[in-house]
C-alpha cells in the first residue's frame, strides 16, 4: 500500500537553473509540476512568460505549439498585447509585452547593446558605442569595416581603446554619412554599428564568472592572426605597395614646374614659348609661340601684353 501511494504522488524535484536545452515534453512537464498550491480553476494551470523585451518569449510559445501563433520580430517591444493560448485542455500559456524596469545592475547602454532597448529610439549614442569599443579590439573594428581609426597621441597610452568619436568619424567617412555642414553623421553611423553588434557581426562573448573577458574571445585572436598572414609573404617580409608611375604626371608635378603664386614668363611641362625643339625640316619661325598651339597665320601680330609679359614683377 505504501509503495502504491508513493507511486501515485508525483515526485517533486527541486528546479535548478542550468544551461541544458529542454525538449517540448520536458518543458511542459516542468510547467505542470512547478505549482502545487491552490488554483483559480481546478484542473487548469496558467503559465505566464515575463521578461525583458527581445529575449524569446513569443518564439518559445511558437516552438511549443509548433506553429506561428504569435507574431515575432527582432525589434524589441514588438509584442504589445496580452495573449493567451491553450497548449492542452489543462495548460494555458500567456504571452505579454516585455518589461523594462529600473535596474542598478545594467545601464541603458548595456541594454541597447544586448538588444533589450530599440536602437532606432536611442537618444544618446556615445555610451553604447563606447561600450562597443571596450568590448571589441581596435584591430577587429578596422578589419571588419576596412577603416583606419586615428592612433593615440604621443602623450597617451598607445594601447588604449578608441573613443566613440574616433570610431564614428572613421566609419562615417568610409560610408559617406555626412551632415549638411560636411561633418560625419555620428548618430546615423552609431545605429548601423549597434545593429551589427546586436546581430553578431561584431561578435563579443560574455564570459562565465571567474574568467577574464579577454581570454574568452578566440575569434579576436583568430582575426589578428589572419591579418598577420595576409600582410606578410612566404618569406616573412611585408608586402610592398605597388605604385603606378606615369611619365606625364611625373613631369607635371616636378618641382621645377611649380607655378603657384608666381608671375612672369613660366615654363609649362618643361617648355618655354619658342624653346620647343624644332622638327627636321621646320623653320624657326614656325616653332615660335606656344608649342601646343598651331597657328595657321604665321604673320599674325603678337599682342603687346604678351610681348611685355617678362617685365611683370
Amino acid at each position: 500500500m505504501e509503495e502504491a501511494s508513493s507511486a501515485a504522488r508525483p515526485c517533486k524535484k527541486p528546479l535548478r537553473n542550468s544551461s541544458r536545452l529542454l525538449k517540448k515534453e520536458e518543458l511542459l512537464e516542468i510547467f505542470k509540476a512547478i505549482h502545487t498550491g491552490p488554483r483559480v480553476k481546478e484542473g487548469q494551470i496558467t503559465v505566464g512568460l515575463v521578461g525583458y523585451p527581445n529575449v524569446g518569449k513569443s518564439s518559445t510559445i511558437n516552438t511549443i505549439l509548433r506553429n506561428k501563433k504569435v507574431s515575432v520580430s527582432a525589434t524589441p517591444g514588438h509584442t504589445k498585447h496580452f495573449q493567451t493560448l491553450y497548449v492542452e485542455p489543462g495548460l494555458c500559456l500567456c504571452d505579454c509585452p516585455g518589461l523594462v524596469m529600473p535596474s542598478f545592475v545594467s545601464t541603458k547602454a548595456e541594454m541597447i547593446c544586448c538588444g533589450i532597448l530599440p536602437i532606432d529610439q536611442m537618444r544618446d549614442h556615445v555610451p553604447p558605442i563606447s561600450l562597443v569599443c571596450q568590448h571589441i579590439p581596435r584591430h577587429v573594428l578596422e578589419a571588419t569595416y576596412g577603416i583606419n581609426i586615428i592612433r593615440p597621441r604621443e602623450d597617451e597610452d598607445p594601447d588604449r581603446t578608441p573613443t566613440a568619436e574616433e570610431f564614428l568619424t572613421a566609419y562615417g567617412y568610409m560610408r559617406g554619412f555626412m551632415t549638411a555642414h560636411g561633418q560625419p553623421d555620428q548618430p546615423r553611423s552609431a545605429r548601423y554599428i549597434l545593429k551589427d553588434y546586436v546581430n553578431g557581426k561584431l561578435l563579443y562573448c560574455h564570459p562565465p564568472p571567474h574568467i577574464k573577458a579577454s581570454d574568452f574571445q578566440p575569434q579576436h585572436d583568430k582575426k589578428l592572426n589572419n591579418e598577420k598572414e595576409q600582410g606578410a609573404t612566404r618569406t616573412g617580409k611585408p608586402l610592398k605597395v605597388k605604385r603606378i608611375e606615369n611619365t606625364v604626371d611625373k613631369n607635371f608635378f616636378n618641382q621645377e614646374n611649380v607655378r603657384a603664386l608666381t608671375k612672369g614668363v613660366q615654363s609649362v611641362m618643361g617648355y618655354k614659348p619658342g624653346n620647343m625643339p624644332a622638327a627636321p625640316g621646320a623653320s624657326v619661325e614656325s616653332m615660335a609661340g606656344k608649342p601646343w598651339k598651331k597657328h595657321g597665320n604665321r604673320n599674325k601680330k603678337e599682342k603687346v601684353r604678351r610681348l611685355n609679359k617678362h617685365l611683370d614683377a
Side-chain angles (χ1 to χ4, degrees):
M1 291 294 294
E2 292 180 358
E3 294 179 357
S5 61
S6 63
R9 290 194 304 267
C11 181
K12 183 180 178 181
K13 296 181 180 179
L15 293 177
R16 295 182 179 179
N17 188 13
S18 66
S19 59
R20 189 176 69 89
L21 298 178
L22 300 177
K23 297 181 180 180
K24 172 187 174 183
E25 293 76 13
E26 297 176 349
L27 186 59
L28 294 179
E29 290 297 328
I30 292 178
F31 286 164
K32 295 176 183 178
I34 195 172
H35 182 68
T36 56
R39 303 176 182 178
V40 178
K41 292 183 179 181
E42 190 64 29
Q44 181 177 343
I45 300 176
T46 303
V47 179
L49 280 77
V50 185
Y52 277 128
N54 200 23
V55 295
K57 300 183 294 297
S58 302
S59 300
T60 302
I61 293 178
N62 290 337
T63 303
I64 292 175
L65 298 175
R66 294 181 179 178
N67 196 357
K68 187 177 180 180
K69 294 292 185 179
V70 292
S71 178
V72 295
S73 175
T75 305
H78 181 74
T79 304
K80 297 178 175 60
H81 305 285
F82 188 82
Q83 306 175 66
T84 57
L85 299 115
Y86 281 90
V87 182
E88 298 175 357
L91 181 61
C92 177
L93 299 179
C94 295
D95 186 20
C96 70
L99 303 175
V100 180
M101 299 191 179
S103 174
F104 297 99
V105 178
S106 57
T107 61
K108 279 189 176 181
E110 294 176 348
M111 292 183 183
I112 291 175
C113 292
C114 293
I116 296 173
L117 297 179
I119 297 174
D120 294 330
Q121 300 178 11
M122 173 184 59
R123 294 186 177 181
D124 189 7
H125 63 275
V126 176
I129 295 297
S130 300
L131 189 62
V132 171
C133 294
Q134 293 175 8
H135 287 169
I136 309 298
R138 180 190 295 267
H139 67 273
V140 177
L141 297 176
E142 293 180 344
T144 303
Y145 294 115
I147 59 178
N148 288 324
I149 305 174
I150 186 172
R151 300 298 173 183
R153 298 196 305 265
E154 294 181 358
D155 57 342
E156 295 178 344
D157 184 12
D159 298 331
R160 70 166 177 83
T161 59
T163 62
E165 184 179 0
E166 294 173 350
F167 181 30
L168 294 176
T169 301
Y171 183 84
Y173 277 124
M174 186 271 297
R175 294 293 302 269
F177 296 157
M178 310 299 289
T179 61
H181 301 285
Q183 298 297 326
D185 193 350
Q186 295 188 7
R188 184 183 179 187
S189 302
R191 291 186 178 92
Y192 278 84
I193 293 170
L194 289 174
K195 288 178 182 179
D196 290 342
Y197 184 84
V198 173
N199 295 333
K201 183 177 180 179
L202 296 174
L203 184 59
Y204 175 78
C205 303
H206 290 271
H210 311 295
I211 294 181
K212 193 176 180 180
S214 58
D215 299 337
F216 200 69
Q217 315 298 329
Q219 70 278 4
H220 296 169
D221 299 334
K222 184 178 180 181
K223 187 175 287 291
L224 181 61
N225 296 333
N226 292 339
E227 289 181 4
K228 291 181 179 179
E229 292 178 359
Q230 293 176 1
T233 58
R234 296 179 180 179
T235 58
K237 296 181 180 180
L239 294 175
K240 295 183 179 180
V241 179
K242 295 183 179 179
R243 297 182 179 179
I244 301 176
E245 293 185 358
N246 192 342
T247 307
V248 178
D249 294 342
K250 190 175 181 180
N251 294 334
F252 184 80
F253 291 105
N254 192 15
Q255 190 67 24
E256 299 177 357
N257 299 329
V258 176
R259 299 192 302 165
L261 303 178
T262 59
K263 290 184 178 181
V265 179
Q266 302 291 338
S267 61
V268 178
M269 301 291 292
Y271 300 102
K272 288 184 180 181
N275 293 339
M276 190 172 183
S283 62
V284 180
E285 295 179 356
S286 63
M287 299 305 299
K290 298 180 180 178
W292 54 88
K293 285 189 176 182
K294 297 180 180 180
H295 298 288
N297 187 6
R298 300 175 183 175
N299 299 324
K300 184 178 178 181
K301 186 177 180 180
E302 190 70 21
K303 294 182 179 180
V304 178
R305 61 179 178 85
R306 292 182 180 172
L307 295 175
N308 300 330
K309 187 177 181 181
H310 64 284
L311 300 177
D312 295 340

